[in-house]
Amino acid sequence: AKAARFYRLAAEQSYAKAQNNLAMLCEHGRGMPQDLGEAARYYHLAAEQEFARSQLRLGRLILREAAAGRALPAAPGEAARFLTQAAQQTGYEELRLEALPAFSKYAHEPDVVK
């Protein structure tokens, strides 16, 4: 609970690493109740700052929840965008390959970057 409080303070100051760490706590329910919506929100804030770990985690979270039939604030098509961005930043081509099924499955959605 103490770590979550400090991460939240730093996250509110737009510190991407703190946003990522707070998102992980929210996702896994460590030190706070599990809240996947909040996890997605904090991952998204850090991902938009080009924090590769958050791009990866958000992309995977979106796909996992979409596959389970659960909705998140982020649309499933965004997963491909974030996984592709993570691949570009890290040089790990397998992340780009991980994004391909999301591109084909959700290509009809307007939020997918082509």
Side-chain angles (χ1 to χ4, degrees), residues 17 20-21 24 43 46-47 50-59 86 89-90:
K17 189 171 184 179
N20 180 76
N21 291 346
M24 288 174 40
Y43 282 140
E50 300 183 8
F51 195 72
R53 278 187 234 157
S54 289
Q55 291 168 335
L56 172 63
R57 291 178 191 277
L58 178 58
Q89 286 191 64
T90 62

Side-chain angles (χ1 to χ4, degrees), residues 3-97:
R5 192 169 54 248
F6 287 117
Y7 285 141
R8 189 175 307 278
L9 290 172
E12 290 171 1
Q13 299 299 312
S14 300
Y15 184 52
K17 189 171 184 179
Q19 291 167 334
N20 180 76
N21 291 346
L22 183 58
M24 288 174 40
L25 295 178
C26 291
E27 181 180 3
H28 300 289
R30 295 203 175 108
M32 61 179 53
Q34 183 181 39
D35 186 336
L36 297 181
E38 274 296 284
R41 186 171 81 82
Y42 281 109
Y43 282 140
H44 193 272
L45 289 170
E48 290 298 338
Q49 293 182 66
E50 300 183 8
F51 195 72
R53 278 187 234 157
S54 289
Q55 291 168 335
L56 172 63
R57 291 178 191 277
L58 178 58
R60 287 179 172 167
L61 176 63
I62 294 168
L63 290 180
R64 186 178 69 235
E65 293 304 300
R70 294 185 292 260
L72 286 174
E78 284 188 282
R81 177 171 67 102
F82 287 117
L83 289 170
T84 299
Q85 288 173 346
Q88 289 169 343
Q89 286 191 64
T90 62
Y92 291 120
E93 187 61 27
E94 57 270 13
L95 295 178
R96 190 183 312 276
L97 297 175

